[in-house]
Amino acid sequence: MTSRTRDILRLLAAVNGRRREDVSLAVMAALVHRSRFDLHRRFRQVTGETPKAYTSRVRLARAAAELLATNRLISQVASANGFASHEVFARSFTRHFGVSSRAYRARGLQGDVRIHADTVDLVAPCVGLYRMTISEQRKASVPVDIVVKELPAIHALVMRRRTTRDGIAAALSECLPTVFAYAQRHGLAMAGPPFARYPEVSMGSLVLEAGVTIAAPAPEDPGGGIEAITIPAGAAAVVIHKGPYDRLQETYQEIEAWIRDEGLLIAGPPRETYLTDPGEYPDPATWETEIAQPVRSGAAQA
């Protein structure tokens, strides 16, 4: 990670904590001691969005979740999320979600509203930044604690892409924001952080399913490249990878060796869930990714 990229991540963490305050381009530039032109360019390089588009999207996502999770007046929700007036909020909300804030609240949500709101709060800031590449000096591997758990079935919305290992971050930055926005716009309660699943892996490429878990099956086919799937329940070798995404492959190798040593067999595609948001935690050493590799007893094949 370059120092300038780290500066942008630190800026995001600062901006995301200023829910009511001015986060104009001039204010952001002052926070990182850069010209507005330079910040605008580098901000877009890192996040894929302009500073204005980024702050508006995050504040609208959080405000939408708050509309569902609380009984606060719409004007209070608007003010709490940094909008200058109810009128500005109303126009921005309708343009972003396709319905008025009042209609959005009246429609409600299918699923646990509190979990949905917590998920939105966690994920909205940098839903397009997972798996970003960090170029810094290699450090010694940290031992990982692998355990077998019985995981429940989950319902999810995903987009599928064929890519290379080097293209994972770009694929996630395209797919995850699209799936996240669809769930919010259609009142589908999200039930946890974003994830990526790898149903097909070869030497030259892989198939990636990127998405979010939802509380209940989608009532209709999403279309537009988004699919509703159910990931079956079952046993999985589970580990928390701590640190940059660049080193995930090392943890996968440890899992594979552990499975062999335990006499188990791989029983399905692995899934990695992004527990921390780079925009809230700018230090890559603090990033946590849960890896779940489905397994079954080796004796079952005999």
Side-chain angles (χ1 to χ4, degrees):
M1 173 188 291
T2 66
S3 61
R4 291 184 175 183
T5 299
R6 193 182 294 274
D7 284 346
I8 295 298
L9 291 182
R10 288 172 178 160
L11 174 63
L12 296 183
V15 165
N16 290 322
R18 298 179 172 219
R19 301 201 180 200
R20 290 176 177 265
E21 300 175 42
D22 178 12
V23 288
S24 64
L25 180 60
V27 169
M28 289 190 193
L31 286 172
V32 293
H33 308 292
R34 297 193 180 280
S35 71
R36 283 179 283 184
F37 174 80
D38 183 55
L39 174 63
H40 189 280
R41 179 170 60 88
R42 295 200 176 279
F43 192 100
R44 190 163 192 170
Q45 286 175 343
V46 173
T47 68
E49 299 174 278
T50 66
K52 183 176 181 180
Y54 173 86
T55 55
S56 178
R57 176 184 61 77
V58 173
R59 289 182 166 187
L60 284 168
R62 285 174 162 171
E66 191 173 336
L67 285 174
L68 300 174
T70 73
N71 293 320
R72 300 176 74 182
L73 296 175
I74 294 176
S75 58
Q76 293 175 328
V77 172
S79 176
N81 286 278
F83 289 90
S85 68
H86 173 71
E87 291 73 20
V88 170
F89 173 70
R91 290 196 299 271
S92 299
F93 192 98
T94 301
R95 185 165 56 246
H96 186 76
F97 288 99
V99 296
S100 70
S101 54
R102 190 178 301 276
Y104 187 89
R105 170 178 268 176
R107 183 182 64 189
L109 194 72
Q110 297 180 0
D112 190 311
V113 174
R114 188 67 264 165
I115 293 177
H116 171 81
D118 290 345
T119 299
V120 170
D121 193 58
L122 172 71
V123 174
C126 292
V127 69
L129 287 185
Y130 297 106
R131 275 287 200 150
M132 65 187 308
T133 299
I134 308 300
S135 299
E136 53 186 26
Q137 186 175 1
R138 308 290 284 182
K139 297 180 181 180
S141 298
V142 177
V144 295
D145 184 18
I146 305 171
V147 296
V148 173
K149 295 182 179 180
E150 286 291 331
L151 300 183
I154 63 170
H155 305 293
L157 297 175
V158 301
M159 294 185 76
R160 185 176 287 108
R161 291 288 184 272
R162 179 174 289 279
T163 185
T164 62
R165 292 188 187 278
D166 291 341
I168 290 176
L172 291 180
S173 69
E174 174 194 355
C175 297
L176 288 179
T178 302
V179 175
F180 179 86
Y182 179 90
Q184 270 213 299
R185 289 193 179 109
H186 290 80
L188 302 177
M190 286 177 273
F195 69 89
R197 190 167 175 252
Y198 302 94
E200 181 184 327
V201 179
S202 63
M203 290 294 292
S205 67
L206 54 84
V207 173
L208 172 149
E209 292 175 339
V212 297
T213 59
I214 52 177
E220 59 185 13
D221 179 23
I226 300 175
E227 301 176 41
I229 67 170
T230 298
I231 299 175
V238 178
V239 64
I240 302 297
H241 168 90
K242 297 181 179 181
Y245 302 124
D246 305 52
R247 306 196 69 174
L248 276 167
Q249 191 56 35
E250 296 173 19
T251 302
Y252 275 110
Q253 291 169 355
E254 290 198 41
I255 293 173
E256 291 172 5
W258 184 88
I259 289 172
R260 288 195 301 270
D261 292 345
E262 293 295 316
L264 300 173
L265 297 173
I266 290 175
R271 180 168 85 245
E272 54 193 41
T273 302
Y274 308 110
L275 304 180
T276 51
D277 189 327
E280 294 282 1
Y281 301 88
D283 182 0
T286 66
W287 295 351
E288 294 189 349
T289 307
E290 180 187 79
I291 300 175
Q293 173 60 70
V295 294
R296 59 185 174 86
S297 170
Q301 192 172 7

